[in-house]
Amino acid sequence: MKYSGIGGQAVIEGVMMKNGDEYATAVRKPDGTIEVKKESYVSMGEKVKFFSLPLVRGVFSFADSMILGMRALTFSASFFEDDEEDMEPSKFEKFLEKIFGEKMEKALMSMVMVFSVVMAICIFMVLPMFLASIFQRFINSHTVMAILEGVIRIGIFVAYIKLVSRMDDIKRTFMYHGAEHKCINCLENGKELTVENVRNSSKEHKRCGTSFLLIVMIISILFFMVIQVDTIPLRVLSRVVLIPVIAGVSYEFLRLAGRSDSKLVNLLSRPGMWMQELTTKEPDDSMIEVGIASVEAVFDWRAFLDKNFPEKRS
C-alpha cells in the first residue's frame, strides 16, 4: 500500500473526500444525477503552528473533521428538504432568525456541534464511570475497575451503533461509508479507479474514524489505570479534562497506522478494523460512482498511480 493523503466521510446519499486544503462532496440527487461541490478549507493546524504539533494536532484535527462533516452534511441534506421548505417555520426558528439573521444557519451548526460533543462526553465518558462505580463495593482493585469501565464504554458504543444501524437512512449512509473506504483502498493498492476495481477492494481502512473512536476507548483504559482519584466529582473532572490528551495520543497512533504497513501496526489496528464491520456496509455500483466522482474532484489519481505504481501502469 502507498499512502495517498486523501480521506473523507459518508453523508446523506453521498461521499465527501478531502485532499490537502480542498474537499468535494458528491451527492446522488433524487433525480438520479450526481451533484459535486468542491470547496477549500484551511485546517486549524495550518492557521496556528502550535495546533500542528504532535499530541496537540489530534484534537484540532478532530475539530476540523467535525466542521467539514457538518458542512458536507448540510450540503447533502439540501437536496432532500423540499417537504420541510413548505412548512411554516416554528416559533424557535423564528426566534433564532430574529437573533442571528443571515448567520442563523452557522449558529445552528455551531449549536449542534457543541450539543453533540457534550452528549458524546456524557454518554461515552461519564456514564460508563457511573455504571462501573456500582460494582466498586465488590471490587477493590483500581486496575480492574478501570478495565470494567472501559469494557462498559465499548459496550455502550457498540450498542449505540447497533441501534442506529437499524434505521434505513443510516444503513444507506454506512453503505456510502463503505464506498468511501473502497475508493481509497483501491488507489492505495495501485488499482485504477473504476467501478469494478473499487467493488473488489476492501471496505475496511486503518485511518477510519470508527477505528479512532475505538482507540480512544482502549487508550482511556490505560490512562485511568494510572490516574487514581477517589471522589466522584474529581473522577468526572478527570474523564473530561483528559479527553484532549487521550484524543491526541489516539490520533498519533491512527496517523502512524495509516502510513505504516508493518505487521505490528497491522496487528494493533485489527480491533479497529473489526469495529468497522458495524459502520461500513457493501455499497452498490451507483454508490461507488458517487465515491469516484468525489475523489476525482480533488485528487489526480492517475498521476498518483504513475508515481507510486509505475510497474502497474506500464
Side-chain angles (χ1 to χ4, degrees):
M1 289 184 66
K2 296 289 185 179
Y3 175 67
S4 65
I6 59 173
Q9 74 168 61
V11 294
I12 300 171
E13 293 298 322
V15 174
M16 182 273 285
M17 286 289 189
K18 184 177 185 298
N19 178 37
D21 293 338
E22 295 183 328
Y23 71 98
T25 307
V27 179
R28 179 74 69 178
K29 294 164 60 177
D31 63 5
T33 60
I34 300 175
E35 181 82 12
V36 181
K37 183 179 182 182
K38 180 180 176 181
E39 294 184 284
S40 296
Y41 176 81
V42 180
S43 67
M44 296 182 187
E46 291 182 77
K47 292 177 181 178
V48 181
K49 191 67 176 177
F50 174 75
F51 294 166
S52 64
L53 295 177
L55 299 179
V56 175
R57 58 192 172 193
V59 176
F60 296 98
S61 178
F62 179 71
D64 287 331
S65 297
M66 287 198 66
I67 293 170
L68 280 177
M70 288 300 296
R71 289 183 181 181
L73 278 170
T74 301
F75 171 70
S76 64
S78 66
F79 297 103
F80 306 93
E81 294 178 343
D82 293 338
D83 294 337
E84 295 182 11
E85 290 179 359
D86 298 332
M87 296 174 62
E88 181 71 19
S90 66
K91 292 182 179 180
F92 180 65
E93 290 174 324
K94 291 179 180 178
F95 172 73
L96 291 177
E97 188 172 2
K98 184 177 180 181
I99 295 178
F100 298 107
E102 295 180 355
K103 296 182 178 179
M104 185 183 76
E105 187 173 323
K106 290 185 177 179
L108 279 172
M109 188 183 301
S110 299
M111 290 168 61
V112 170
M113 287 175 59
V114 171
F115 178 76
S116 300
V117 170
V118 171
M119 288 301 297
I121 292 172
C122 291
I123 295 172
F124 299 113
M125 296 303 290
V126 179
L127 178 60
M129 186 208 72
F130 280 109
L131 292 177
S133 65
I134 297 173
F135 301 91
Q136 195 165 17
R137 67 182 70 179
F138 310 109
I139 302 173
N140 295 322
S141 171
H142 178 80
T143 299
V144 174
M145 285 297 297
I147 294 173
L148 176 61
E149 180 182 332
V151 171
I152 293 174
R153 183 173 292 114
I154 294 172
I156 291 175
F157 177 67
V158 171
Y160 170 78
I161 296 297
K162 285 280 191 180
L163 185 64
V164 300
S165 64
R166 294 184 177 184
M167 302 168 60
D168 291 337
D169 289 343
I170 299 298
K171 286 180 182 178
R172 290 189 62 81
T173 302
F174 285 172
M175 292 171 74
Y176 277 105
H177 190 193
E180 175 222 331
H181 283 189
K182 280 174 170 283
C183 285
I184 297 174
N185 279 322
C186 177
L187 293 177
E188 294 186 341
N189 282 282
K191 299 177 182 178
E192 293 193 358
L193 198 63
T194 65
V195 171
E196 182 179 0
N197 286 341
V198 172
R199 188 194 309 125
N200 294 327
S201 298
S202 172
K203 64 181 178 65
E204 283 83 40
H205 198 280
K206 289 187 290 186
R207 296 198 306 273
C208 177
T210 305
S211 295
F212 172 75
L213 293 175
L214 181 63
I215 293 167
V216 165
M217 295 177 193
I218 293 174
I219 290 180
S220 70
I221 296 175
L222 303 178
F223 269 81
F224 299 141
M225 278 183 181
V226 177
I227 298 171
Q228 301 185 29
V229 287
D230 296 324
T231 64
I232 293 294
L234 284 178
R235 288 172 64 191
V236 171
L237 182 64
S238 69
R239 271 48 178 179
V240 176
V241 171
L242 285 174
I243 287 175
V245 181
I246 295 170
V249 174
S250 302
Y251 176 81
E252 295 304 322
F253 174 79
L254 192 70
R255 195 169 187 269
L256 171 65
R259 289 167 166 77
S260 174
D261 205 28
S262 73
K263 292 183 179 180
L264 177 60
V265 171
N266 287 340
L267 179 63
L268 294 174
S269 300
R270 287 317 304 170
M273 304 285 273
W274 292 333
M275 188 67 74
Q276 289 177 41
E277 286 293 325
L278 298 175
T279 61
T280 59
K281 303 298 180 185
E282 288 292 338
D284 59 34
D285 287 356
S286 68
M287 295 173 175
I288 291 174
E289 291 171 355
V290 173
I292 291 174
S294 182
V295 172
E296 291 186 327
V298 294
F299 189 73
D300 187 348
W301 60 267
R302 293 176 179 84
F304 172 78
L305 294 182
D306 288 340
K307 179 181 178 180
N308 293 279
F309 301 93
E311 70 283 357
K312 294 185 178 182
R313 299 286 285 172
S314 57

